């Protein structure tokens, strides 16, 4: 299954658990699926130099980012036998404990979903121009870097 | 040549703007960077990549006049 | 984090998307978590000799199965730096399109969750005495075998 | 010796019961299986493993008197 149109992956603010639950529910009509694999990125309350991260403020080079997300989708559908794939990323403020990235892959068989999900998440971390400002409780900040 | 440059994240913090139009008479991205380093001295110490037409490009690339963006380290997810 | 008590992993019937959503929600207070990985097994409407699977009826050697699930949990906590782990498996009838297995792992860092989730799911498939009767639309059946 | 045997899935379909108590005078799991093959002829063609005290055991294992179970191929997930 391929999808040529570039979608907007971004959502304003945190991705809610209800949204994720509903997204899972919608797949119950797709009865060729045997395995789903979901990755969720959650904002950590990291402690850096005695200061605790209270939120991350996400910005992105949106056009390029959506094009990159699209390329990643295409590459994953090419590489793996997937029934469907969904990616959502937050923009704006996401508090510690909230979810900022939701990647959802489904396939008839399980082996495929493990490989595909890791491939997609690593590609997102490496290739997509999203920027994260870690806001501390005292309102100072630092810039997040993916490792 | 009149070009548009976009700034993001920590880079936008230095330039104090998200976008600007510049007059540029050179040829290569590296020359454009020299011009920007003069304008924004702290940029020199920062880690960033350059995208032209929404693709990362090396410094030896010819400036095409398309949209150019300065991208600090990615932090998606 | 270790957990010595043997839990009951089994749930009667399908695992609902609401239950999964709530389970995700409950982790928002655990702000050391940076990555969740969720595996969902969904019953496929496989077509075998022109007959379509409409449901799987799950039974288990429950005591041994819960002990095996417990061993798998212990092994995973030993092997991987996990903040938490949850496993739920259905018993009884689960219709095509419904979810019969829910495995949820969380960790500060993403690399760990990918490895841990695959380890756990493969161990469940291989080591846990759960049996599945694939019920066809004409009410005949065959016995499922994991591959 | 009086032992309890549990049957699951396809095996229980053959034995028509989930559990039974048997009198057994042999020593090894393999001997117990011979006794069961006589009682339930179709068992011979079936693929299953034997658990004693909730652990899979090879056929050469001594019967301890603990709970024994005949387990067809696993199908979890």
């Amino acid at each position: 299954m391929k999808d040529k149109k570039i979608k907007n992956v971004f959502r304003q603010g945190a991705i809610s658990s209800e949204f994720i639950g509903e997204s899972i529910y919608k797949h119950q009509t797709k009865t060729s699926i045997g395995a789903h694999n979901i990755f969720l990125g959650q904002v950590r309350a990291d402690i850096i130099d005695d200061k605790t991260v209270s939120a991350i403020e996400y910005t992105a080079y949106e056009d390029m980012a959506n094009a990159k997300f699209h390329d990643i989708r295409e590459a994953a559908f090419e590489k793996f036998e997937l029934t469907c794939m969904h990616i959502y990323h937050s923009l704006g403020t996401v508090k510690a404990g909230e979810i900022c990235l939701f990647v959802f892959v489904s396939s008839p068989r399980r082996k495929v979903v493990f490989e595909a999900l890791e491939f997609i998440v690593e590609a997102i971390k490496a290739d997509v121009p999203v920027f994260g400002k870690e806001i501390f409780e005292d309102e100072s900040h630092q810039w997040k870097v993916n490792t | 040549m009149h070009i548009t440059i976009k700034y993001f994240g920590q880079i936008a913090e230095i330039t104090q703007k998200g976008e600007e139009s510049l007059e540029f008479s050179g040829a290569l991205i590296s020359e454009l960077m020299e011009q920007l380093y003069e304008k924004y001295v702290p940029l020199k110490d920062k880690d960033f990549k350059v995208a032209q037409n929404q693709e990362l490009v090396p410094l030896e690339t010819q400036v095409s006049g398309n949209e150019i963006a300065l991208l600090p380290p990615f932090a998606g997810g």
Side-chain angles (χ1 to χ4, degrees), chain A residues 58 60-61 63-64 68 89 100-101 125-132 141 143-144 146, chain B residues 6 8-10 13 49 51 53-56 67-69 71-77:
Chain A
Y58 284 104
Y61 184 7
D63 288 348
M64 178 174 165
K68 288 290 167 196
H89 197 296
C100 56
L101 172 63
K125 298 264 179 183
D127 301 340
V128 180
V130 171
F131 314 102
H141 72 267
W143 291 90
K144 186 179 169 245
N146 278 346
Chain B
K6 286 174 179 279
F8 292 93
Q10 194 169 18
E13 227 173 26
K49 291 173 177 169
N53 198 21
Q54 298 180 18
E55 288 294 339
L56 298 182
E67 184 177 282
I68 287 177
L71 308 175
F74 300 170

Side-chain angles (χ1 to χ4, degrees), chain A residues 57-139:
Chain A
E57 208 180 289
Y58 284 104
T59 53
Y61 184 7
E62 290 187 50
D63 288 348
M64 178 174 165
N66 277 315
K68 288 290 167 196
F69 278 122
H70 182 79
D71 292 347
I72 293 168
R73 279 178 65 85
E74 295 283 294
F77 272 123
E78 195 105 339
K79 234 170 132 73
F80 306 103
E81 193 213 334
L82 295 175
T83 310
C84 42
M85 176 191 331
H86 304 276
I87 307 175
Y88 301 97
H89 197 296
S90 295
L91 283 184
T93 303
V94 181
K95 289 189 219 124
E98 292 184 329
I99 289 161
C100 56
L101 172 63
F102 171 27
V103 184
F104 188 175
V105 295
S106 311
S107 169
R109 312 238 161 231
R110 75 182 178 283
K111 298 274 181 200
V112 172
V113 294
F114 292 123
E115 280 182 68
L117 189 69
E118 188 164 4
F119 168 85
I120 294 162
V121 172
E122 293 305 324
I124 291 170
K125 298 264 179 183
D127 301 340
V128 180
V130 171
F131 314 102
K133 192 171 164 179
E134 293 178 312
I135 316 281
F136 296 105
E137 281 164 349
D138 65 357
E139 289 175 33

